Each structure stands twice: as structure tokens, then as C-alpha cells.
Amino acid sequence: MEGPWTRDEASASGQVFEDRVCALLTEQSRGQLHVFRPLLDRGVDALLHRLSDGAYIPVQAKGRSSLRKGQVQLLVDADSVADDLVVIVGGEIIDGGLGPTFLVVPTPDFRRLALLTSADGVPEYSM
């Protein structure tokens, strides 16, 4: 399929972004990162196991299918970035792959740098 993702396909585009990020991490680490995917969506999209030191790194992937003024805009419910151990990976999904620019940031830095607003009374971060 070609062309931009539609609003009705947002869930599918998010899943594709997560899959592509996990594959890219595995490929670029040459197997030094093992990627585990949860069966249920509970705010962590992948758990990385770094073989060099045994560390486990929870990852939340935030993919977007279009740019706003040339940038990837992230709107994230405040409740979903409460765990300080999670690393947020944000980027653009494009036909055939991922866009050239990524945001990779620990959640404490994300909360500090993002703009805290609300939508219909629900707190959310915008970056």
C-alpha cells in the first residue's frame, strides 16, 4: 500500500513502528540486544536485554505517520510516562521503513522538557 496512513489506521501504524524499531535495534546491535515484546499493552512496547552488562531497558515506542511543520509531534498521556526507567523512542514511519530522525529520551527528561497541557481534562505532554 502506498500513501499516508489514515486516522483509521493509527493503531496499525503504531504496531508497524514498534516492529520496525525492534528489528532495527536487533540488527544494529548485531545480536547484542535481545528484544522481548509483551503480550499485553501496559505502557512498555519492548524490553531490551543488553548482553554486555545484563541490563534490562523498557522501551515505549511512539511512531507518527506524518510530520507537523517538518517535525514529529508527540502527544502522550501523562499517566503513560510515569515510570522513570522507561526510554521513549519517537519517530516517523514512512513507506518502506522509518524516517531519518528519532527522539530517544528517558522519561524523566521527557517530562522535564515536554510541555504539560491537558486535553478534555486529561493531562498530557507535548513535544
Side-chain angles (χ1 to χ4, degrees), residues 83-99:
D83 187 340
D84 287 350
L85 299 177
V86 174
V87 174
I88 297 172
V89 176
E92 180 189 16
I93 184 170
I94 59 173
D95 283 342
L98 298 172

Side-chain angles (χ1 to χ4, degrees), residues 5-40:
W5 292 84
T6 66
R7 207 169 202 19
D8 294 336
E9 298 168 330
S11 179
S13 71
Q15 185 66 52
V16 169
F17 181 80
E18 293 169 19
D19 293 343
R20 288 183 177 169
V21 166
C22 289
L24 191 60
L25 287 169
T26 302
E27 179 184 2
Q28 288 184 354
S29 74
R30 296 186 178 248
Q32 293 304 301
L33 285 176
H34 285 181
V35 179
F36 298 95
R37 301 288 302 275
L39 296 176
L40 299 173

